[in-house]
Amino acid sequence: MRGVVQSLAAVGRKLLTRKYTAGYPEVKPELPARYRARIVLTRDPDGQERCVACNLCAVACPVDCIDVVKAETEDGRWYPETFRINFARCIFCGYCEEACPTQAIQLTPDFETADYERSSLVYDKDDLLIAGEGKQAGYTYWAVAGKAIAGKDKGEAQGEAPPTDLRDLCP
Amino acid sequence: MSKVRLTIDGIAREVEAGQDLLSASLGLGVEVPHFCWHAALGSVGACRLCAVRIHDGPDDDEGRIEMACMTPVAEGQRVELADPEAAEMRARVIEWLMVNHPHDCAVCEEGGACHLQDMTVATGHHRRRFRFEKRTHRNQDLGPLLTHEMNRCIACYRCTRFYRGYAGGRDLDVFGAHDRAYFGRYEDGPLESPFAGNLAEVCPTGVFNDKGWSEHYARKWDMAATPAICTQCSVGCNLFAAERGGRVRRVQNRYHGAINGHFICDRGRFGALHVAEARLDHPRIGGAPADAETTRAAVQEALAKGAVGIGSPRASLETNAALRRLVGAERFFAGVGEAEARAVGRMAGWLAKGRGASLKQMEAADAVLVLGEDLTGTAPRAALALRQTARGAADALAAEKGVPAWLDNAARVAGEGRRPPVALVTPMTDALDDVATWALRRPPEEVAAFGQAVAAALRGEAAEEAAREVAEALKAAERPLVIAGFGTGRGDAVEAAGAVAEALGEHARLALFPPEANSLGLALAGAEGLEGAVAALEHGRAGTAVIAEVDLVERADPRLVERLFAAAETVIALDSAETRTTARADIVLPVADWSEAAGTLVNHEGRAQRSFAAVSGGRPAGWRVLAGLMAVRPGWDTLDAMLDALARDLPQLAPAKETAPGAAFRLPLGQVARAPWRMSGRTAQDLAGRVPEGTPPADDDAALAFSMEGAQGADAPPALRTSYGVPGWHSASAAPFLTDGPDGPMAGDDPGVSVLPGFTAPAPLAEHAPRGAGLAPLPLHEPFSGDELGRRAQRLAQRCPAPVIALHPDDAAEIGLADGQRVAVDGGEAVPLTLDPAVPKGHVAATAGRLLPRGGGHRAIVEAAE
């Protein structure tokens, strides 16, 4: 009985508050930066693609709407030859962003992705890739990975010792 | 075998005595973490990960932490895997193994199928506490087949133990001292062993990986795997063919207890990927593309003239049976010379007597005689089995001293390097010479004589000294084995091998290796040699030749092939890729390759095995195309119906239907799923501008689904298994959970059914000296070169040495040819001449198939090329 009265009071108090009407679409809502909507692919601070086509976003995706195909540059850098998201299926859960080891895939507050044509909701890499670093400034996966790429030889990643000398007998 | 009773985590268990605790636990399905232990390589106790608490009996309250892999099972033992102190130790072991491991998983091919990743996740380690620098290594270029990324190494020594200890390789070793241990070659260069590809599976992390897979990469969880059978030689190794997006991206070993065990050869692993090369996609009449209706009409017209059918030793039983039905049993021939067809028929006869040895039984032999066969070249996986035979004597000596074989390093020391007697009687230097007690060189035509001399010596008759020695060794053995094949192009070695086995008695075993994946199946279908087909065409009994999936130039005397093309009014060729035969055929019909259709193949021991379609929507199977050509459609819509028809036409092959469950087979979860549960990208894949709808393609010929819907892993019957399917174990290290004992048969028995019982062999062909002028041919078999299809696999082709024509210097001088001069055999492809005193005089040794057809019976002319 007490609970019922409390609930009625809580709802009743709302009758006294001022009405609020969102003026959307004329007035755009101010959404927090971590709001989960349209997905983008970001770049490293040096402007190179962040995505290394590891497929973790694809496997984390509960609706299987991400398709990534790996390719490799001459110097050993992995990158996605194809990166495709079917936004007709995406549920904006953000698991892909959580799974991403390179901070490449990020969700943005831009939620206005509706369309009349389902096929135009299939976004390819060109549609997803943006120019900047997004929410994670300063992070470069290649600076911590052990694989050598152009401009970062073995032993030059963060916390790495120079390559071993196999003929050295010292302990 | 006696049993011992022990308890593991409070559950009473009974296991075979004499094993180590780790093998026993894995066999029971108890997931003991481990690294350096490998089912085929035994225990060395290097990684310290399999720590468990062991109490000796009910009174031992305290117990002690021990390595499960180094501890024999004992009566009354109480084992605690979950003991907090043991668990803590395992977590610390992982932590120290990970101290130098790079932050690479995202850009590592192994990720998702990595034993190190699995074990790390299982022990809960996720953050590196060690604040100091990681040691790094430079990589090596190991050739076109394997990648090398040494930073990822955790020094488990599995690679060198496999490469040196198991496969007999010399050029991979460990260098450096301290924590700088480096696994590689002395200098950059391709790994020499024809089994190096196994390193990609043996390595528990991403140091060695399949380079071709990396080029067309998909994570393991994204690829649908199909059980397939290797078509590159007669051993019939079981494979997983992993596909995504309609492309076979990787071929891996699929455990089979009696055949390939944990390993396959590089020819099988990389040669199977020929499927993208030189494909025949459209029917062709007289060199011009034609539509299906025109082709059918042209074929009907040609068939009306009467046709001979030429079956293939590399095509499935079904295709050969369909061709036999199309042309009639009396006009069905093999696409190989009579010498080969008869020799393979004789092999089937010898094997039908119940003496046949599987590879597993070969490994258990304690004395071996190899008659003429260069196993490393003709059936590489069998050569690897023979290398294990060579360890048997050392293991037996170690066992006498109380050291079990699984205690790998100790058994090697206690075995004192003792070797069982192995006699290799081959024409040329052999890759197995290092394990041979007697490496005897005999020209091809004297090999059989030596075998007969051994048989005579066994019967107590007079024989040459060497034969007497070999005979004595075989006589003293408990499990003697005689090996022969058709590698030298002669069938008499098979008879000699049979004679030796008969002289030895009931316990002697025979391992006979026909040239190709379904040679034995073709022989069991009763096909005679190509000579019969040519005679029928020349005598006007037929006007058309229908050649199903075989390049005759590879297999038969070129003069015979010329006569066939001259005599036939119309030549109809079916194949999956362009060959020298399809290039000359009047009508060409494209058919499925191994990855596009299901089919049954009979391996060297007479075991029929089913291979399934790895990709959907490919070209139609050979037997379907042939059924479509028949005037009255035979009503074979499915493989099961085809196999029923095959059983009626060829009762000998009726058991072939039992090799795998039919397409109607269902489990509680439905069909068996090819794809793993976690396959990604289903709703985005392959959709430039469109959204996928509809159902996955269906497979009419198998109870396998082209999706993740259905049963997985061990739930499936062995012949349909698409993965090992052990949750949390994504690498090949999961295999021991599905076997009885680390090297035993698959749980639920190894797939395959023998089709030999009751077979009566044809009479042996009287061997006669090759006729005409020229030199006697000696085909050279290259482990990195398969048949006309397998040779096209790009990476394998890069690894394969250039083709060779070699002569004895005296013969070359007589003909007037110099070292390095460009020469050709019988007007074929020209290559620089090699002079080699090891070539028997009067012979020309040349790369089999490509330069010299492998069948004997003719002489070859070596001439300087223009």
Side-chain angles (χ1 to χ4, degrees):
Chain A
M1 190 65 202
R2 193 160 151 247
V4 172
V5 174
Q6 274 178 344
S7 305
L8 281 171
V11 175
R13 271 200 296 277
K14 288 284 173 194
L15 293 170
L16 306 174
T17 56
R18 275 189 62 180
K19 283 190 182 122
Y20 169 73
T21 306
Y24 184 81
E26 286 76 21
V27 183
K28 303 286 183 196
E30 272 185 37
L31 296 171
R34 290 189 296 171
Y35 190 86
R36 300 195 308 261
R38 185 170 64 87
I39 297 169
V40 295
L41 286 176
T42 60
R43 291 178 187 271
D44 275 341
D46 62 359
Q48 298 244 47
E49 256 177 74
R50 260 183 180 157
C51 176
V52 296
C54 73
N55 269 287
L56 285 180
C57 52
V59 74
C61 178
V63 291
D64 287 348
C65 74
I66 308 179
D67 183 38
V68 189
V69 178
K70 172 239 165 186
E72 200 168 329
T73 60
E74 201 71 353
D75 63 287
R77 229 185 134 105
W78 283 29
Y79 71 96
E81 193 174 46
T82 306
F83 199 110
R84 188 173 293 141
I85 301 180
N86 181 357
F87 279 106
R89 296 277 185 170
C90 179
I91 56 169
F92 303 100
C93 64
Y95 284 9
C96 49
E97 187 174 6
E98 277 184 45
C100 184
T102 70
Q103 320 280 24
I105 192 166
Q106 295 180 12
L107 277 75
T108 66
D110 173 18
F111 61 90
E112 295 173 307
T113 41
D115 202 292
Y116 291 104
E117 190 67 42
R118 281 178 73 189
S119 59
S120 60
L121 288 170
V122 177
Y123 282 36
D124 274 289
K125 195 169 118 180
D126 293 344
D127 311 318
L128 297 165
L129 200 60
I130 62 163
E133 297 171 64
K135 292 176 273 187
Q136 306 285 346
Y139 180 75
T140 310
Y141 171 74
W142 288 105
V144 292
K147 215 168 175 291
I149 54 164
K152 192 211 78 174
D153 199 4
K154 287 273 150 135
E156 290 177 4
Q158 287 168 26
E160 275 189 355
T164 52
D165 174 7
L166 296 181
R167 287 168 182 78
D168 183 6
L169 292 174
C170 294
Chain B
M1 268 295 194
S2 57
K3 298 265 187 185
V4 294
R5 277 164 308 193
L6 43 81
T7 43
I8 301 177
D9 281 340
I11 301 167
R13 308 275 199 170
E14 199 176 63
V15 297
E16 297 278 347
Q19 6 171 22
D20 61 278
L21 187 54
L22 180 59
S23 307
S25 306
L26 297 178
L28 293 166
V30 179
E31 297 183 13
V32 182
H34 60 267
F35 272 121
C36 65
W37 181 88
H38 185 283
L41 305 176
S43 307
V44 289
C47 73
R48 319 312 283 173
L49 185 62
C50 60
V52 292
R53 184 176 287 278
I54 295 173
H55 306 266
D56 283 334
D59 305 329
D60 182 1
D61 291 330
E62 192 169 350
R64 64 203 176 275
I65 303 256
E66 281 203 58
M67 297 310 123
C69 74
M70 302 299 280
T71 311
V73 292
E75 183 71 31
Q77 228 168 23
R78 279 191 296 129
V79 182
E80 286 176 32
L81 175 64
D83 174 67
E85 207 179 337
E88 173 72 8
M89 172 162 174
R90 293 195 298 268
R92 294 291 81 78
V93 169
I94 284 288
E95 189 169 4
W96 90 52
L97 287 174
M98 294 297 286
V99 155
N100 288 316
H101 196 73
H103 191 61
D104 258 8
C105 296
V107 289
C108 174
E109 292 85 353
E110 194 88 352
C114 175
H115 191 56
L116 178 61
Q117 210 173 40
D118 287 344
M119 294 300 102
T120 307
V121 171
T123 47
H125 172 71
H126 57 87
R127 192 158 290 274
R128 185 172 183 261
R129 293 188 297 171
F130 186 72
R131 289 174 295 119
F132 304 95
E133 289 182 325
K134 290 182 181 179
R135 66 108 180 81
T136 59
H137 285 298
R138 295 214 174 274
N139 303 327
Q140 287 181 325
D141 180 358
L142 297 179
L145 304 180
L146 289 173
T147 60
H148 192 226
E149 188 63 46
M150 256 310 290
N151 278 0
R152 297 170 186 161
C153 180
I154 54 162
C156 71
Y157 284 71
R158 270 191 188 186
C159 55
T160 49
R161 282 159 62 212
F162 168 75
Y163 196 87
R164 301 180 72 87
Y166 194 91
R170 307 291 303 160
D171 62 324
L172 179 88
D173 210 341
V174 54
F175 302 95
H178 195 237
D179 75 337
R180 296 184 297 270
Y182 187 92
F183 296 81
R185 283 170 52 88
Y186 175 67
E187 57 185 5
D188 282 20
L191 287 165
E192 284 161 15
S193 168
F195 309 103
N198 289 304
L199 293 176
E201 286 182 62
V202 169
C203 176
T205 171
V207 178
F208 301 99
N209 251 313
D210 182 334
K211 236 182 204 175
W213 177 44
S214 180
E215 190 185 345
H216 302 289
Y217 184 72
R219 292 271 175 216
K220 191 199 174 197
W221 65 65
D222 276 348
M223 296 188 292
T226 304
I229 304 295
C230 182
T231 55
Q232 300 293 315
C233 81
S234 63
V235 172
C237 292
N238 287 210
L239 308 174
F240 283 127
E243 171 270 351
R244 182 174 176 85
R247 176 178 198 123
V248 179
R249 289 166 190 262
R250 175 170 71 160
V251 163
Q252 276 200 309
N253 180 67
R254 173 164 60 101
Y255 186 88
H256 190 292
I259 307 176
N260 44 312
H262 295 274
F263 308 114
I264 53 174
C265 69
D266 287 4
R267 186 201 287 178
R269 184 182 301 270
F270 301 103
L273 297 172
H274 66 77
V275 291
E277 312 294 330
R279 279 170 65 97
L280 277 173
D281 278 317
H282 304 287
R284 214 165 59 198
I285 301 177
D291 63 60
E293 259 326 292
T294 324
T295 321
R296 188 176 144 80
V299 171
Q300 294 293 351
E301 194 184 318
L303 289 177
K305 287 181 277 191
V308 288
I310 296 170
S312 163
R314 66 169 157 87
S316 66
L317 280 183
E318 292 84 351
T319 297
N320 282 313
L323 181 61
R324 188 172 176 276
R325 173 74 76 86
L326 178 73
V327 297
E330 70 287 352
R331 292 204 278 194
F332 174 63
F333 300 93
V336 300
E338 179 62 23
E340 180 180 326
R342 195 67 73 88
V344 178
R346 294 290 301 165
M347 288 183 199
W350 284 109
L351 295 170
K353 294 180 184 173
R355 290 183 181 279
S358 66
L359 260 51
K360 181 84 185 164
Q361 285 163 327
M362 275 177 68
E363 289 179 7
D366 57 356
V368 185
L369 168 62
V370 181
L371 285 175
E373 197 68 357
D374 166 21
L375 274 188
T376 311
T378 56
R381 181 63 185 85
L384 190 59
L386 195 65
R387 286 192 177 276
Q388 309 325 305
T389 311
R391 250 200 86 175
D395 286 346
L397 179 60
E400 275 174 35
K401 299 177 181 173
V403 182
W406 52 261
L407 207 54
D408 193 61
N409 281 340
R412 276 171 201 273
V413 175
E416 298 173 22
R418 190 182 277 190
R419 292 274 179 78
V422 173
L424 283 184
V425 190
T426 51
M428 300 273 286
T429 324
D430 199 283
L432 286 166
D433 279 352
D434 61 321
V435 297
T437 321
W438 300 278
L440 303 168
R441 297 290 96 90
R442 294 284 188 280
E445 55 279 358
E446 288 174 29
V447 169
F450 183 87
Q452 296 290 3
V454 173
L458 285 166
R459 291 191 297 262
E461 298 160 21
E464 61 171 295
E465 173 70 26
R468 280 208 310 277
E469 277 179 32
V470 174
E472 264 164 44
L474 289 171
K475 204 169 196 170
E478 284 173 31
R479 297 174 301 277
L481 171 72
V482 191
I483 298 174
F486 192 72
T488 56
R490 299 177 64 88
D492 50 0
V494 175
E495 302 309 315
V500 174
E502 297 242 295
L504 278 166
E506 284 303 308
H507 63 302
R509 292 212 166 259
L510 271 174
L512 303 173
F513 292 92
E516 288 184 72
N518 200 23
S519 285
L520 215 55
L522 188 59
L524 293 171
E528 288 179 14
L530 192 61
E531 283 85 342
V534 174
L537 289 165
E538 285 179 345
H539 292 114
R541 293 200 295 273
T544 301
V546 186
I547 306 174
E549 301 186 46
V550 58
D551 183 5
L552 302 176
V553 188
E554 296 264 328
R555 295 167 175 85
D557 182 355
R559 279 149 286 229
L560 190 64
V561 180
E562 286 309 318
R563 276 168 57 198
L564 181 134
F565 276 99
E569 278 179 54
T570 313
V571 174
I572 303 172
L574 290 76
D575 218 327
S576 58
E578 197 70 73
T579 67
R580 284 178 280 180
T581 296
T582 59
R584 294 182 63 178
D586 303 303
I587 303 176
V588 177
L589 297 166
V591 297
D593 58 42
W594 69 269
S595 71
E596 292 167 310
T600 312
L601 303 167
V602 182
N603 84 343
H604 74 101
E605 34 163 349
R607 185 190 294 265
Q609 301 189 96
R610 187 81 43 81
S611 184
F612 296 98
V615 295
S616 66
R619 296 164 291 183
W623 59 267
R624 280 209 165 90
V625 172
L626 289 165
L629 300 178
M630 292 179 193
V632 183
R633 301 254 174 166
W636 307 329
D637 293 330
T638 63
L639 189 75
D640 294 324
M642 171 68 223
L643 285 165
D644 287 334
L646 184 146
R648 282 194 300 277
D649 284 0
L650 296 160
Q652 178 70 44
L653 294 168
K657 188 155 199 271
E658 312 305 321
T659 51
F665 175 80
R666 290 292 180 275
L667 290 157
L669 281 174
Q671 292 180 304
V672 179
R674 283 182 173 86
W677 297 121
R678 221 16 275 172
M679 183 105 160
S680 77
R682 270 185 309 165
T683 64
Q685 206 191 346
D686 189 22
L687 301 178
R690 64 189 182 86
V691 180
E693 301 291 351
T695 50
D699 191 340
D700 291 338
D701 297 337
L704 294 169
F706 284 108
S707 73
M708 70 271 275
E709 285 153 21
Q712 303 262 357
D715 290 344
L720 294 180
R721 255 167 226 169
T722 54
S723 69
Y724 298 127
V726 183
W729 297 66
H730 302 95
S731 71
S733 296
F737 289 114
L738 271 73
T739 61
D740 290 338
D743 254 348
M746 270 264 204
D749 213 4
D750 288 321
V753 181
S754 175
V755 288
L756 286 173
F759 180 71
T760 33
L765 195 66
E767 289 285 341
H768 43 75
R771 299 167 302 274
L775 298 166
L778 173 54
L780 295 179
H781 300 274
E782 170 56 54
F784 293 103
S785 166
D787 61 9
E788 65 271 24
L789 301 183
R791 277 209 306 273
R792 289 209 167 88
Q794 274 181 14
R795 288 187 176 269
L796 191 69
Q798 286 168 29
R799 175 66 190 84
C800 186
V804 180
I805 297 176
L807 290 176
H808 192 278
D810 294 355
D811 288 328
E814 204 169 295
I815 309 173
L817 296 172
D819 195 15
Q821 193 178 349
R822 289 182 70 78
V823 294
V825 180
D826 289 335
E829 192 182 335
V831 301
L833 177 69
T834 312
L835 295 188
D836 185 354
V839 177
K841 275 192 198 174
H843 289 76
V844 49
T847 307
R850 186 156 164 189
L851 298 181
L852 194 65
R854 60 164 190 249
H858 69 286
R859 282 184 178 273
I861 294 173
V862 185
E863 291 168 317
E866 297 304 311

